[in-house]
Amino acid sequence: MTERLVVIGNGMAGARTVEEILARDGDFTVTMFGDEPYGNYNRIMLSNLLAGVETEDGIFLNDLAWYADNGITLHAGTKIERIDRFAKVVYAGDGTATPYDKLIIATGSSAWVPPIKGISNPHRGYHQGVFAFRTLDDTRGMIRYARDHERAVVIGGGLLGLEAARGLQNHVSHVTLLHAMGHLMNTQLDEKAGAMLRDSVENKLGIDVIVNAMTSEILGKDRVTGVKLGDGTVIDCDVVVVAAGIRPNTQVAANSDLTVERGIVVDDHMRAEGEEDIYVVGECAQHRGSLYGLVAPLWDQAKVLADHITGRDLAAAYHGSKLSTKLKVAGIDVASMGIKEPESDDDEVIVYNEPRKGVYKQIIIRDGVLVGATLVGDNRKAAGLIQAFDRATPLPEDRAELLFDIGGGAGEITPEEMPDDAQVCNCNGVSKGAICGVVNDGCKTVGGVMEKTRAGKGCGTCKPLVQRIVEWAAGGEVEEDPAASWYVPGVPMPKPELMAAIRKYELKSVSSVFMKLVPGGEHDAKSKMGLASLLKMMWAGEYVDERDARFINDRVHANIQRDGTFSVVPQMKGGVTTPAQLRRIAEVAEKHQVPMVKLTGGQRIDLLGIPKEKLPEIWADLDMPSGYAYGKSFRTVKTCVGSDFCRFGVGDSTALGIALEERYQGLEGPGKMKLAVTGCPRNCAEAYVKDLGVVAIDGGKWEIYVGGAAGAHIRKGDLLTTVESAEEVIRLTGRFLQYYRENANWLERTYTFVPRIGVDRIREIVVDDSDGIAAALDAAVEEAVQAYKDPWKERAEPATPGQFRTSLPLIVLPQVPVRS
């Protein structure tokens, strides 16, 4: 006989438990109640949504159609207030009563908000500008509010607080993170690891961190203007996000006389204490005195509960979980498992600490078994450590092998070595066996496997391992994921097809591309910048500019810095200036008290520390063109002294560099384009390692090199050709850049593009005109050149009312010492 199953809670634990029951062919009619008016979504992904790297559609695990397809009655946005355990009925806040035979409580947790003065009003809720960070609605509210404000404070230095701080950087110019304890992520990390994480967060991400910070008051009458700490320190801000922890939602259980301590007390079958037909799962469940806030234990609980409630295995028991995490915290690799500090004198501790690189590793061994490990900044050995921790496997005598690849072995455990039940994706509880099962059922693309299993759809750190397992399981027959060829993630077309459709329908704005080419016309935030660059390249002066498709740098034509100020780089063509320009720059720097004046690697002068509202005034006083130090565009042409003054110069590199910069200034591209011209093979201007470099050689000739790099990637450029004149250099430079603009992937630099296409093939097209498109490339780049407008002219007429809106006071950076 079919039984009535009621589930209170439609979050990750409740929905996952129902999935497990369906997979066991449980004979139930299922009714679910959820506080939120949606299907089931992945809370872990809210930080990605806040950061703008994921859309709302991308975080849903089960949309509303899934419930209908599986015969589940969902009461979304309906809260259960009370359970009558004797009549077996649940009562909702709307007055309805629903009977059950079996009941599952999966009410999860709520954000814990400390009792801070001014944080909320009893009648209006949170003070204007204050947000918790727990639900989709919380995140939506933050995004709407933060985009019109400048400075945020995040209260809480755990995982959620760090993710909130990182996400907010996409919307505000400055973020401060406050943590009440002595080091970040104190629950998972020891003091040294927490300090290392703090250094990385401050120095790599530009987020200010204050530890031992007790927030005593939220300031501001009508809206947030700052926070006050217990020591009297005031931090100016207009957004406050509270991510100070979570508390189990146990009220419905308490109202119904179930046993509640910190959570709802359960036995090893996940049944509420003393109840035969009421089960509890997830963050609200207290098992053997423990509460679990990570998702992996929740999946273990769901499997036991499903086995027991369906009768598949009445002996199934949950014995607790050994906690381990491997993830990216605000973009920084972190792994933690077991104990974080030694607990006895006999514990064996191995520590590696490299502060300069932000790397910290510690393992704790007891009686030959791994009982704890902490990794910050390098997770390559995490998978092997987690397996050793979970299974208490024998450890190598040379303990260094646990942390390093002694002798150059593979950095990660291989798929073949992993047992089938080894968990690959902690966020969604996906094992190696589940991945291999999907592959064996015929799915041979990495993206397809990720969609079917959800592996890699959480924090994303397991994606490389997922790919290796798919490749191994497919036995070399892995198929290419169609989405891998899309130019931008939100439009399902490779670049050539996308460009053809844009031309066919004359789509000249980003919004028109979404409307015409995306099913349902859905906008994808991650795709906007790439589409804007592509459309500008294709339509030149006819492109319809939409400001929300631009990054902050492109909106104000300056490069944002870690403290929320901007750097202004006036153009110095070919690195050449005049006494008058130097005098003007010095006078402007003095007049506006510019904190730092810096010579750049591109032979220009950088004025650093300019508040956004002062940018128009700075530009007006300088009255010089932009040096394009901020965009995905043609940047600069570095030159050496050349033939006029240098004893070794055989070509006028300075004049040619100036000519190139004058012609192609501001040219949009898929990635930044840096050039150099050097007057002889001694290479003083470093032309061999630029996106395009020109080298003068004997006989008045010039060599053109392409695809070089000397930043995070080091690559000597490939020789494209040798020409007889400066005019040929200018013409072929434009032709190569246009070919790169039309054919490179979004954000693909030339040092990747040139090897991918092959320099021989590029030479055939750009130099030899083997495909007959040289004239078209020349015409296209000419059209782009003619459409050039100096962006700094917007200082007189801002494109939007808030383009140069006054910011709140910024933190004072230390002044650079100057010798007297």
Side-chain angles (χ1 to χ4, degrees), residues 411-426:
E412 279 279 17
I413 186 171
T414 66
E416 189 174 10
E417 295 171 323
M418 296 177 66
D420 282 346
D421 61 351
Q423 189 146 287
V424 175
C425 177
N426 289 326

Side-chain angles (χ1 to χ4, degrees), residues 129 149 178 200 281 348 358 442 445 493-494 503 507 545 551 594 634 689 704 732 755 769:
H149 295 82
L178 306 179
S200 295
V281 67
E348 182 182 350
T445 69
M493 291 182 177
R503 289 195 180 99
L507 307 175
D545 188 13
F551 181 59
V594 174
F634 185 99
V689 288
I704 302 176
L732 290 178
D769 195 20

Side-chain angles (χ1 to χ4, degrees), residues 688-804:
Y688 293 120
V689 288
K690 297 296 184 184
D691 294 288
L692 186 142
V694 183
V695 180
I697 60 175
D698 288 334
K701 298 180 180 181
W702 300 90
E703 294 177 335
I704 302 176
Y705 291 82
V706 293
H713 298 268
I714 308 296
R715 184 179 191 272
K716 182 181 178 182
D718 297 322
L719 178 62
L720 179 67
T721 189
T722 302
V723 298
E724 302 284 341
S725 67
E727 289 74 20
E728 289 179 275
V729 170
I730 295 173
R731 178 168 51 85
L732 290 178
T733 293
R735 192 179 296 173
F736 168 76
L737 293 179
Q738 184 64 25
Y739 181 69
Y740 163 67
R741 296 171 77 213
E742 292 184 6
N743 293 279
N745 298 321
W746 173 236
L747 301 181
E748 182 181 28
R749 291 289 298 275
T750 62
Y751 58 73
T752 304
F753 173 74
V754 170
R756 177 169 66 84
I757 303 298
V759 72
D760 292 338
R761 176 60 179 152
I762 294 173
R763 186 182 300 115
E764 290 174 358
I765 295 169
V766 172
V767 181
D768 303 332
D769 195 20
S770 62
D771 290 18
I773 63 171
L777 293 172
D778 292 343
V781 79
E782 176 65 25
E783 184 181 9
V785 166
Q786 294 303 320
Y788 170 75
K789 295 178 181 178
D790 184 352
W792 285 22
K793 299 302 182 185
E794 286 181 3
R795 65 175 181 264
E797 296 182 12
T800 62
Q803 184 178 9
F804 303 111

